[in-house]
Amino acid sequence: MWWLEPLAVALGLSAFGIYSFWAALQGDHYAWGPYLSPFYSPELFGNSSHALFGPPPSWWPAAFSMFGVELHIPFSPAFLILWAPLGFRGTCYYYRKAYYRSFFQNPTACAVGKPWKSYCGETAFPLILQNIHRYFLYVAIVFIAFLTYDGLKAFTREGPKDYVAGLGSVVLLLNAFFLAMYTFGCHSLRHLVGGHLDSFSDSASSCTRHKIWSGVTCLNERHMMWAWISLFWVGFSDVYVRLVSMGRIADLRIF
Amino acid sequence: MPDKYETHDCDVLVIGAGGAGLRAAIESSAMGAKTALVCKSLLGKAHTVMAEGGIAAALANVDEEDDWRVHFHDTMAGGKMLNNWRMAELHAKEAPERVLELERWGAVFDRTRDGRILQRAFGGHRHKRLSHVGDRTGLEMIRTLQDKGVHQGIDVYMECTITRLLMDGGRVVGAFGYWRESGRFVVFRSKATVLATGGFGKAYPVTSNSWEYTGDGHGLAYRAGAELIDMEFVQFHPTGMVWPPGVKGLLVTEAVRGEGGILRNSKGERFMFKYLPEANRKDFAADEAEATRWVESVLADSKPDGRRPPELSTRDNVARAIYTEVKEGRGSPHGGAFLDISYQPADRVKKKLPSMYHQFLELADVDITKVPMEVGPTCHYAMGGVRVDADTCVTTVPGLFAAGEVAGGMHGSNRLGGNSLSDLIVFGCRAGRGAAESAKTASRPTGSLDRQIDEAAAEVNAPFGRTTGEHPYALHSELQEIMGSCVGIFRTESDLKEGIRRLEALGPKVRNVRVEGSRMYNPGWHLALDLGNLMVISEAIARSALARPESRGAHSRLDHPNYDPHFATVNNCVKQNDTGGMTVRETPLPKMSDELRKVYDEVEAMSLPAKA
Amino acid sequence: MAETREFQVFRGDRSGGKMETYPVEVTPGMVVLDAMHRIQATAAPDMAVRWNCKAAKCGSCSAEVNGKPKLMCKTRLDALPADRPVEVRPLRTFPLIRDLVTDVSWNYEVNKKIPPFTPKPGAVWRWKQEDVDRVQEFRKCIECFLCQTVCHVLRDHQKQPVFNGPRFFVRLASLEMHPMDGLDRLEQIKEKSGLGYCNITKCCTEVCPEDIRITDNAIIPLKERVVDRFYDPIRVLFRKIFGSASLTKPE
Ligand code: SF4
Ligand code: SF4
Ligand code: FES
Ligand code: FES
């Protein structure tokens, strides 16, 4: 039954990939009142009230030509930002393990043999680029700030002064929380906050760093769990905002 | 046609790659001697890795009052004054330096709050003295020495067994052995040879020792004409696992009792109170209430309140108590006693005794945080061994040195926990130095060694040629059975005589052992060859035990339950006589220098801090 | 009450061999190594098995039990499916010697090439438990080489000449992160140890009997240190401009 886990991982990742691609293409129904789908946050340019720099830019081409074929892809604010979470998760040490195993069969599972003859690991292009993971981390931390802002703003459904919790507010705040748990358990972060030190006790600052490092380590031990929870929740948040904004369901008011 | 063999030349040959062997090899190669290190297993697998508790050394990092004098005193008192005082002195003086040296070589000990090496309490030590790494101190030591050694240019010969020392005019000039892997023969020509082969627990049916512990060094030295002393003193550790059968004898660390473990029999009685020797009853709690107070203070990490619980009596005493309870019908279902730590908070048990927790959970399905363990005595350590000179570790045979468990004298009649790891590094170092010094002036043998080598090869090959004869496994079990029932924890004259008689009867069968298969990695053959050494030490133990009609330390004679002042002044010494038989004679104990005597008495007179 | 189970054990040497079936009487609590001993004592006295401590402390008795690399002395029979024979084979990644014994000497050669612990000049030997904890995890290693045998880089791609394997990443980590070690090891780690070949798929961590979190705590932190030195474009640039002293070993 060793193939069960890689299969489940492959299905999970594919399902998310397909849905998020579809959702990003829509360019619509990503916001409702103060709610903003995390696939679209931060919204740099767009037609919703969340757009930071106004409406879609005029320089965005109406059509791309690829191999001589004209592709008409309508503008979607998601395109401008999705590279960041995608790159972050794509170079994440956990997801690397997950897709090397389940998609690349490298290896599919332990001690079961594999279909490839040659192998160069992460020593050569393109996989050597995985080493820039920490730059995606920097961006991801900025995103956490935006998503937290979104999560808090989501409590202003009934006007900026009235704090009201809809189900959506909770969903979006949890989304920011789960993403933070995932992001702050990152291996690169663990290295940057203190892992690079050899001694944790030789100065006052290294003691503080040891505390932060221990905190990151604690999250890092459950990095896989947070990776999946946050992945699922991001998708779910988008589904929720989408359904509410399409009017399919009504946002439940909690208090 | 004589078998072909390969030859290796070196200045110093070290046999055995545990703590003592590695330390000796490091020292000798540091002194510029070309050093070869031979071991039966892979490098780094030696029995030393099983040592859990720590290395005793008076660093005084935790208890400031500690110093070498107190350590010396404790060691002598533990050994019931039968120790070689000079060894005990050197050991106590040099252990701290050797431990610090390990740290310089990369060992990572647990730390005190102010960043020094942490030390813990152990049975028989007045102060907190054992530097340790959780409960895997031996592994840390082996790994540190191994890495130091391989980078220092020692030639390591792994999975190679030595079966005979080669002699030239009364001096040891090399060794003959075989590769376990291929069965091919190998000859080492050396100017000095160090034995560091450990002990002989495999002579007993229930032991904490690994298969390697077949008394090889004892046997090699004996046959080369060296003297063995104190062979009657075999330490039985009171707490070994008794179930499941596959792990019977596996050690349950003394730290369980140090942390407050309680021993009970099947009737639920805390029997250790009954077994405290009159002489030091005053050092122990008078009743359960006082013992409980002591444990509570340990739990609270505060100064001990009350005297320590009776479970912390010396190893020999606790082992005898458990044995007696079982024999009188109050044992646990699998023939042991109950050792209970489950009354303490589960988290604390897991933190303080991680490997015990896992060991019982994985091997016996027992959660020690919920139910008591079943434990019984297990053969653990050989106090007796090759007689050596304290300063250089040279044996009574020129060119031959010994260090570690294979050497006798250091621990007297009973060893304190933690004193063996320190013994390894202190005397390993001295033996390495002694051997390298002696190699400087030694010359290569004058005569040819061919006859000895041919003889040794024929002896090793012989078991294959036989068509009659028993399998080694059956003979080994028989030997263990004899030792367990006749030369065990409690001894009597009639049992010992019976044991000797049965060993004599077993002798011809062992000499006629038969093996099947080829010489390539053949464990049956390996065991067959080890049996010879086991026979030597078994006979030596039985005969020495018979020649000591008193009870002292680890040696308990039911027919002579008390000390006999005469035997406080002598060691039993075993040697091969001219006709190939074994003689046992008394040799006088070296007399302690006046200065040390004074040191001992002064410490003895100091008011006792509450021991832990 | 004695139950009998079937064992299929590889018997043979470099010239070939096959699986032999042995019935073994089993008792409660037995481990695979016990069964091997029973076979030795009865049916096959010359069957080669390597073991020492029988307590999961020495790392000698590694073998592949039902296809999974394991310590035989720690593998309980009642944890293995009862409806089929127990299969015991030698480690696949190392050259066979005989029966269950393989030649693991390559590992010792690798170890020899790793520069030993070298104290910082003028080191003050005061360091605290929190410094020690991280390194002690690595020093728990019992050198069973199960991680080496399961790692696909060695097992399936035979990268032995360029790849040290997880055991030695653990060793390198214990030296690189040792507060008292004064050597700069990153060059060696990147160029000689083959760290880049590891694709962090964690099989080593899954088999480690000492529960060392090899990938998370040794390999990935080493990879991050290598990134600091060799891949992080800003740091590399910075170092070019301000000299190699800055940003190398933060002390
Ligand atoms: S994580 Fe790396 S070292 Fe470990 S098994 Fe996978 S590829 Fe090998
Ligand atoms: S790291 Fe773990 S699996 Fe690898 S050799 Fe050490 S103990 Fe064995
Ligand atoms: S390692 Fe997973 S996010 Fe960085
Ligand atoms: S025999 Fe030592 S680990 Fe199994």
Side-chain angles (χ1 to χ4, degrees), chain B residues 117-154:
Chain B
I117 296 175
L118 182 64
Q119 298 181 278
R120 68 155 60 119
F122 233 55
H125 292 282
R126 278 196 183 183
H127 298 295
K128 300 205 178 67
R129 190 177 282 150
L130 270 69
S131 29
H132 60 275
V133 183
D135 46 13
R136 47 164 201 88
T137 316
L139 175 67
E140 185 72 20
M141 183 159 138
I142 278 282
R143 215 48 97 221
T144 307
L145 293 174
Q146 177 184 345
D147 288 324
K148 175 81 184 163
V150 296
H151 287 105
Q152 205 176 279
I154 297 168

mmCIF file of all heavy atoms in Angstrom, chain B residues 117-154:
data_model
loop_
_atom_site.group_PDB
_atom_site.id
_atom_site.type_symbol
_atom_site.label_atom_id
_atom_site.label_comp_id
_atom_site.label_asym_id
_atom_site.label_seq_id
_atom_site.Cartn_x
_atom_site.Cartn_y
_atom_site.Cartn_z
ATOM 1 N N ILE B 117 30.463 21.127 32.420
ATOM 2 C CA ILE B 117 29.947 19.768 32.244
ATOM 3 C C ILE B 117 29.082 19.388 33.439
ATOM 4 O O ILE B 117 29.514 19.518 34.584
ATOM 5 C CB ILE B 117 31.113 18.775 32.086
ATOM 6 C CG1 ILE B 117 31.894 19.089 30.812
ATOM 7 C CG2 ILE B 117 30.600 17.342 32.065
ATOM 8 C CD1 ILE B 117 33.130 18.248 30.626
ATOM 9 N N LEU B 118 27.872 18.928 33.162
ATOM 10 C CA LEU B 118 26.938 18.572 34.232
ATOM 11 C C LEU B 118 27.304 17.207 34.806
ATOM 12 O O LEU B 118 27.759 16.325 34.084
ATOM 13 C CB LEU B 118 25.515 18.544 33.666
ATOM 14 C CG LEU B 118 24.387 18.228 34.644
ATOM 15 C CD1 LEU B 118 24.291 19.308 35.710
ATOM 16 C CD2 LEU B 118 23.054 18.119 33.905
ATOM 17 N N GLN B 119 27.090 17.039 36.106
ATOM 18 C CA GLN B 119 27.399 15.757 36.743
ATOM 19 C C GLN B 119 26.203 15.263 37.534
ATOM 20 O O GLN B 119 25.486 16.045 38.138
ATOM 21 C CB GLN B 119 28.614 15.925 37.663
ATOM 22 C CG GLN B 119 29.849 16.345 36.881
ATOM 23 C CD GLN B 119 31.056 16.499 37.763
ATOM 24 O OE1 GLN B 119 31.231 17.525 38.407
ATOM 25 N NE2 GLN B 119 31.893 15.487 37.794
ATOM 26 N N ARG B 120 26.008 13.943 37.495
ATOM 27 C CA ARG B 120 24.855 13.399 38.212
ATOM 28 C C ARG B 120 25.284 12.438 39.304
ATOM 29 O O ARG B 120 26.433 11.996 39.344
ATOM 30 C CB ARG B 120 23.901 12.705 37.225
ATOM 31 C CG ARG B 120 24.413 11.450 36.582
ATOM 32 C CD ARG B 120 23.267 10.519 36.128
ATOM 33 N NE ARG B 120 22.359 11.081 35.160
ATOM 34 C CZ ARG B 120 22.150 10.591 33.927
ATOM 35 N NH1 ARG B 120 22.822 9.542 33.518
ATOM 36 N NH2 ARG B 120 21.278 11.144 33.124
ATOM 37 N N ALA B 121 24.346 12.154 40.223
ATOM 38 C CA ALA B 121 24.633 11.278 41.348
ATOM 39 C C ALA B 121 24.521 9.816 40.927
ATOM 40 O O ALA B 121 23.806 9.485 39.995
ATOM 41 C CB ALA B 121 23.651 11.564 42.469
ATOM 42 N N PHE B 122 25.220 8.935 41.621
ATOM 43 C CA PHE B 122 25.152 7.505 41.333
ATOM 44 C C PHE B 122 25.476 6.719 42.593
ATOM 45 O O PHE B 122 26.075 7.262 43.533
ATOM 46 C CB PHE B 122 26.148 7.154 40.223
ATOM 47 C CG PHE B 122 25.536 6.423 39.068
ATOM 48 C CD1 PHE B 122 24.450 6.952 38.394
ATOM 49 C CD2 PHE B 122 26.040 5.192 38.639
ATOM 50 C CE1 PHE B 122 23.887 6.284 37.312
ATOM 51 C CE2 PHE B 122 25.478 4.519 37.556
ATOM 52 C CZ PHE B 122 24.408 5.072 36.894
ATOM 53 N N GLY B 123 25.082 5.451 42.605
ATOM 54 C CA GLY B 123 25.285 4.612 43.780
ATOM 55 C C GLY B 123 26.746 4.566 44.203
ATOM 56 O O GLY B 123 27.626 4.335 43.376
ATOM 57 N N GLY B 124 27.000 4.785 45.496
ATOM 58 C CA GLY B 124 28.347 4.630 46.027
ATOM 59 C C GLY B 124 29.224 5.858 45.890
ATOM 60 O O GLY B 124 30.291 5.918 46.474
ATOM 61 N N HIS B 125 28.810 6.835 45.100
ATOM 62 C CA HIS B 125 29.593 8.067 44.981
ATOM 63 C C HIS B 125 29.023 9.099 45.947
ATOM 64 O O HIS B 125 27.844 9.408 45.908
ATOM 65 C CB HIS B 125 29.529 8.615 43.552
ATOM 66 C CG HIS B 125 30.235 7.756 42.547
ATOM 67 N ND1 HIS B 125 31.603 7.755 42.407
ATOM 68 C CD2 HIS B 125 29.769 6.871 41.640
ATOM 69 C CE1 HIS B 125 31.942 6.906 41.446
ATOM 70 N NE2 HIS B 125 30.848 6.343 40.973
ATOM 71 N N ARG B 126 29.887 9.663 46.762
ATOM 72 C CA ARG B 126 29.403 10.631 47.744
ATOM 73 C C ARG B 126 28.879 11.893 47.101
ATOM 74 O O ARG B 126 28.013 12.561 47.644
ATOM 75 C CB ARG B 126 30.546 11.023 48.681
ATOM 76 C CG ARG B 126 30.756 10.046 49.759
ATOM 77 C CD ARG B 126 31.596 10.696 50.835
ATOM 78 N NE ARG B 126 31.857 9.717 51.862
ATOM 79 C CZ ARG B 126 32.512 9.981 52.979
ATOM 80 N NH1 ARG B 126 32.975 11.193 53.180
ATOM 81 N NH2 ARG B 126 32.708 9.050 53.861
ATOM 82 N N HIS B 127 29.492 12.289 45.995
ATOM 83 C CA HIS B 127 29.083 13.552 45.375
ATOM 84 C C HIS B 127 28.510 13.298 43.994
ATOM 85 O O HIS B 127 28.685 12.225 43.425
ATOM 86 C CB HIS B 127 30.278 14.489 45.264
ATOM 87 C CG HIS B 127 30.853 14.857 46.585
ATOM 88 N ND1 HIS B 127 30.155 15.601 47.513
ATOM 89 C CD2 HIS B 127 32.050 14.554 47.149
ATOM 90 C CE1 HIS B 127 30.913 15.760 48.588
ATOM 91 N NE2 HIS B 127 32.068 15.130 48.399
ATOM 92 N N LYS B 128 27.884 14.333 43.464
ATOM 93 C CA LYS B 128 27.423 14.244 42.078
ATOM 94 C C LYS B 128 28.660 14.284 41.190
ATOM 95 O O LYS B 128 29.359 15.291 41.148
ATOM 96 C CB LYS B 128 26.491 15.411 41.761
ATOM 97 C CG LYS B 128 25.263 15.440 42.636
ATOM 98 C CD LYS B 128 24.124 16.166 41.931
ATOM 99 C CE LYS B 128 22.866 16.173 42.772
ATOM 100 N NZ LYS B 128 22.990 16.989 44.006
ATOM 101 N N ARG B 129 28.923 13.173 40.511
ATOM 102 C CA ARG B 129 30.249 13.033 39.928
ATOM 103 C C ARG B 129 30.239 12.545 38.475
ATOM 104 O O ARG B 129 31.251 12.563 37.795
ATOM 105 C CB ARG B 129 31.042 12.052 40.795
ATOM 106 C CG ARG B 129 32.494 11.985 40.478
ATOM 107 C CD ARG B 129 33.188 11.052 41.443
ATOM 108 N NE ARG B 129 33.428 11.658 42.744
ATOM 109 C CZ ARG B 129 33.463 10.976 43.892
ATOM 110 N NH1 ARG B 129 33.263 9.676 43.899
ATOM 111 N NH2 ARG B 129 33.687 11.588 45.028
ATOM 112 N N LEU B 130 29.089 12.062 38.002
ATOM 113 C CA LEU B 130 29.108 11.433 36.692
ATOM 114 C C LEU B 130 28.788 12.407 35.558
ATOM 115 O O LEU B 130 27.645 12.830 35.386
ATOM 116 C CB LEU B 130 28.094 10.274 36.642
ATOM 117 C CG LEU B 130 28.655 8.921 37.053
ATOM 118 C CD1 LEU B 130 28.969 8.926 38.535
ATOM 119 C CD2 LEU B 130 27.701 7.815 36.720
ATOM 120 N N SER B 131 29.808 12.758 34.780
ATOM 121 C CA SER B 131 29.539 13.550 33.586
ATOM 122 C C SER B 131 28.836 12.632 32.599
ATOM 123 O O SER B 131 29.182 11.462 32.468
ATOM 124 C CB SER B 131 30.820 14.105 32.995
ATOM 125 O OG SER B 131 31.895 13.261 33.289
ATOM 126 N N HIS B 132 27.856 13.170 31.922
ATOM 127 C CA HIS B 132 27.012 12.279 31.134
ATOM 128 C C HIS B 132 26.399 12.987 29.937
ATOM 129 O O HIS B 132 26.431 14.216 29.833
ATOM 130 C CB HIS B 132 25.892 11.725 32.014
ATOM 131 C CG HIS B 132 25.012 12.801 32.581
ATOM 132 N ND1 HIS B 132 25.332 13.483 33.736
ATOM 133 C CD2 HIS B 132 23.846 13.317 32.136
ATOM 134 C CE1 HIS B 132 24.393 14.372 33.983
ATOM 135 N NE2 HIS B 132 23.478 14.306 33.025
ATOM 136 N N VAL B 133 25.843 12.185 29.056
ATOM 137 C CA VAL B 133 25.086 12.688 27.917
ATOM 138 C C VAL B 133 23.779 11.928 27.949
ATOM 139 O O VAL B 133 23.690 10.813 27.437
ATOM 140 C CB VAL B 133 25.802 12.396 26.587
ATOM 141 C CG1 VAL B 133 25.025 13.007 25.431
ATOM 142 C CG2 VAL B 133 27.219 12.917 26.623
ATOM 143 N N GLY B 134 22.763 12.478 28.578
ATOM 144 C CA GLY B 134 21.485 11.780 28.723
ATOM 145 C C GLY B 134 21.746 10.385 29.249
ATOM 146 O O GLY B 134 22.491 10.201 30.201
ATOM 147 N N ASP B 135 21.166 9.376 28.599
ATOM 148 C CA ASP B 135 21.530 8.022 29.004
ATOM 149 C C ASP B 135 22.255 7.289 27.883
ATOM 150 O O ASP B 135 22.056 6.118 27.657
ATOM 151 C CB ASP B 135 20.334 7.232 29.546
ATOM 152 C CG ASP B 135 19.101 7.369 28.668
ATOM 153 O OD1 ASP B 135 19.253 7.851 27.536
ATOM 154 O OD2 ASP B 135 18.011 6.990 29.109
ATOM 155 N N ARG B 136 23.115 8.006 27.167
ATOM 156 C CA ARG B 136 23.923 7.337 26.139
ATOM 157 C C ARG B 136 25.364 7.841 26.174
ATOM 158 O O ARG B 136 25.979 8.126 25.153
ATOM 159 C CB ARG B 136 23.328 7.525 24.751
ATOM 160 C CG ARG B 136 22.930 8.954 24.446
ATOM 161 C CD ARG B 136 22.713 9.206 22.975
ATOM 162 N NE ARG B 136 22.848 10.632 22.746
ATOM 163 C CZ ARG B 136 23.973 11.256 22.495
ATOM 164 N NH1 ARG B 136 25.099 10.582 22.376
ATOM 165 N NH2 ARG B 136 24.019 12.550 22.334
ATOM 166 N N THR B 137 25.918 7.888 27.368
ATOM 167 C CA THR B 137 27.269 8.409 27.537
ATOM 168 C C THR B 137 28.310 7.572 26.810
ATOM 169 O O THR B 137 29.248 8.102 26.226
ATOM 170 C CB THR B 137 27.619 8.470 29.038
ATOM 171 O OG1 THR B 137 26.495 9.006 29.732
ATOM 172 C CG2 THR B 137 28.815 9.328 29.279
ATOM 173 N N GLY B 138 28.132 6.257 26.834
ATOM 174 C CA GLY B 138 29.116 5.380 26.201
ATOM 175 C C GLY B 138 29.214 5.633 24.710
ATOM 176 O O GLY B 138 30.305 5.661 24.136
ATOM 177 N N LEU B 139 28.067 5.836 24.081
ATOM 178 C CA LEU B 139 28.055 6.098 22.641
ATOM 179 C C LEU B 139 28.824 7.375 22.332
ATOM 180 O O LEU B 139 29.627 7.427 21.398
ATOM 181 C CB LEU B 139 26.609 6.212 22.152
ATOM 182 C CG LEU B 139 26.432 6.593 20.690
ATOM 183 C CD1 LEU B 139 26.937 5.482 19.787
ATOM 184 C CD2 LEU B 139 24.975 6.890 20.371
ATOM 185 N N GLU B 140 28.595 8.392 23.129
ATOM 186 C CA GLU B 140 29.280 9.669 22.915
ATOM 187 C C GLU B 140 30.789 9.479 23.009
ATOM 188 O O GLU B 140 31.560 10.001 22.216
ATOM 189 C CB GLU B 140 28.810 10.671 23.974
ATOM 190 C CG GLU B 140 29.356 12.062 23.796
ATOM 191 C CD GLU B 140 28.738 12.783 22.605
ATOM 192 O OE1 GLU B 140 27.651 12.372 22.162
ATOM 193 O OE2 GLU B 140 29.356 13.742 22.127
ATOM 194 N N MET B 141 31.192 8.664 23.984
ATOM 195 C CA MET B 141 32.612 8.455 24.187
ATOM 196 C C MET B 141 33.231 7.701 23.003
ATOM 197 O O MET B 141 34.260 8.095 22.465
ATOM 198 C CB MET B 141 32.794 7.662 25.472
ATOM 199 C CG MET B 141 34.206 7.435 25.848
ATOM 200 S SD MET B 141 34.228 7.084 27.606
ATOM 201 C CE MET B 141 35.393 5.780 27.599
ATOM 202 N N ILE B 142 32.552 6.630 22.587
ATOM 203 C CA ILE B 142 33.057 5.854 21.462
ATOM 204 C C ILE B 142 33.161 6.716 20.212
ATOM 205 O O ILE B 142 34.163 6.705 19.502
ATOM 206 C CB ILE B 142 32.109 4.661 21.177
ATOM 207 C CG1 ILE B 142 32.414 3.531 22.122
ATOM 208 C CG2 ILE B 142 32.212 4.191 19.758
ATOM 209 C CD1 ILE B 142 33.633 2.730 21.745
ATOM 210 N N ARG B 143 32.108 7.479 19.940
ATOM 211 C CA ARG B 143 32.088 8.267 18.714
ATOM 212 C C ARG B 143 33.210 9.307 18.733
ATOM 213 O O ARG B 143 33.893 9.523 17.739
ATOM 214 C CB ARG B 143 30.727 8.939 18.597
ATOM 215 C CG ARG B 143 30.190 9.075 17.209
ATOM 216 C CD ARG B 143 30.241 7.827 16.359
ATOM 217 N NE ARG B 143 29.004 7.092 16.330
ATOM 218 C CZ ARG B 143 28.915 5.767 16.377
ATOM 219 N NH1 ARG B 143 29.999 5.035 16.457
ATOM 220 N NH2 ARG B 143 27.751 5.171 16.334
ATOM 221 N N THR B 144 33.408 9.925 19.874
ATOM 222 C CA THR B 144 34.455 10.934 19.984
ATOM 223 C C THR B 144 35.829 10.314 19.753
ATOM 224 O O THR B 144 36.633 10.819 18.963
ATOM 225 C CB THR B 144 34.422 11.578 21.391
ATOM 226 O OG1 THR B 144 33.099 12.046 21.637
ATOM 227 C CG2 THR B 144 35.389 12.723 21.493
ATOM 228 N N LEU B 145 36.068 9.194 20.408
ATOM 229 C CA LEU B 145 37.382 8.552 20.274
ATOM 230 C C LEU B 145 37.570 8.010 18.862
ATOM 231 O O LEU B 145 38.646 8.102 18.278
ATOM 232 C CB LEU B 145 37.514 7.421 21.292
ATOM 233 C CG LEU B 145 37.556 7.845 22.760
ATOM 234 C CD1 LEU B 145 37.530 6.627 23.668
ATOM 235 C CD2 LEU B 145 38.796 8.688 23.045
ATOM 236 N N GLN B 146 36.504 7.458 18.321
ATOM 237 C CA GLN B 146 36.569 6.895 16.968
ATOM 238 C C GLN B 146 36.973 7.972 15.967
ATOM 239 O O GLN B 146 37.869 7.777 15.148
ATOM 240 C CB GLN B 146 35.186 6.344 16.636
ATOM 241 C CG GLN B 146 35.020 5.786 15.243
ATOM 242 C CD GLN B 146 33.558 5.365 15.006
ATOM 243 O OE1 GLN B 146 32.769 5.236 15.938
ATOM 244 N NE2 GLN B 146 33.202 5.150 13.762
ATOM 245 N N ASP B 147 36.333 9.123 16.050
ATOM 246 C CA ASP B 147 36.638 10.169 15.086
ATOM 247 C C ASP B 147 38.025 10.737 15.303
ATOM 248 O O ASP B 147 38.734 11.048 14.356
ATOM 249 C CB ASP B 147 35.574 11.263 15.149
ATOM 250 C CG ASP B 147 34.266 10.773 14.538
ATOM 251 O OD1 ASP B 147 34.343 10.021 13.555
ATOM 252 O OD2 ASP B 147 33.194 11.108 15.053
ATOM 253 N N LYS B 148 38.408 10.849 16.568
ATOM 254 C CA LYS B 148 39.763 11.297 16.847
ATOM 255 C C LYS B 148 40.760 10.280 16.280
ATOM 256 O O LYS B 148 41.725 10.647 15.622
ATOM 257 C CB LYS B 148 39.946 11.412 18.369
ATOM 258 C CG LYS B 148 41.340 11.749 18.807
ATOM 259 C CD LYS B 148 41.592 13.216 18.694
ATOM 260 C CE LYS B 148 43.040 13.536 19.042
ATOM 261 N NZ LYS B 148 43.422 14.855 18.566
ATOM 262 N N GLY B 149 40.481 9.009 16.537
ATOM 263 C CA GLY B 149 41.410 7.952 16.135
ATOM 264 C C GLY B 149 41.596 7.843 14.635
ATOM 265 O O GLY B 149 42.722 7.795 14.151
ATOM 266 N N VAL B 150 40.490 7.804 13.879
ATOM 267 C CA VAL B 150 40.656 7.550 12.445
ATOM 268 C C VAL B 150 41.365 8.699 11.748
ATOM 269 O O VAL B 150 41.942 8.512 10.684
ATOM 270 C CB VAL B 150 39.326 7.261 11.704
ATOM 271 C CG1 VAL B 150 38.696 5.995 12.214
ATOM 272 C CG2 VAL B 150 38.367 8.421 11.803
ATOM 273 N N HIS B 151 41.317 9.878 12.353
ATOM 274 C CA HIS B 151 41.990 10.990 11.697
ATOM 275 C C HIS B 151 43.422 11.152 12.165
ATOM 276 O O HIS B 151 44.104 12.090 11.826
ATOM 277 C CB HIS B 151 41.211 12.287 11.926
ATOM 278 C CG HIS B 151 39.955 12.321 11.128
ATOM 279 N ND1 HIS B 151 38.719 12.131 11.686
ATOM 280 C CD2 HIS B 151 39.748 12.463 9.798
ATOM 281 C CE1 HIS B 151 37.809 12.188 10.730
ATOM 282 N NE2 HIS B 151 38.402 12.379 9.590
ATOM 283 N N GLN B 152 43.838 10.214 13.013
ATOM 284 C CA GLN B 152 45.183 10.353 13.533
ATOM 285 C C GLN B 152 46.112 9.317 12.914
ATOM 286 O O GLN B 152 47.228 9.138 13.359
ATOM 287 C CB GLN B 152 45.128 10.192 15.049
ATOM 288 C CG GLN B 152 46.260 10.882 15.726
ATOM 289 C CD GLN B 152 46.108 10.790 17.211
ATOM 290 O OE1 GLN B 152 45.374 11.544 17.812
ATOM 291 N NE2 GLN B 152 46.793 9.835 17.786
ATOM 292 N N GLY B 153 45.602 8.615 11.932
ATOM 293 C CA GLY B 153 46.472 7.688 11.230
ATOM 294 C C GLY B 153 46.614 6.326 11.878
ATOM 295 O O GLY B 153 47.587 5.613 11.643
ATOM 296 N N ILE B 154 45.643 5.946 12.709
ATOM 297 C CA ILE B 154 45.669 4.585 13.233
ATOM 298 C C ILE B 154 45.176 3.646 12.128
ATOM 299 O O ILE B 154 44.227 3.967 11.433
ATOM 300 C CB ILE B 154 44.721 4.479 14.445
ATOM 301 C CG1 ILE B 154 45.196 5.395 15.564
ATOM 302 C CG2 ILE B 154 44.610 3.052 14.932
ATOM 303 C CD1 ILE B 154 44.172 5.568 16.653
#
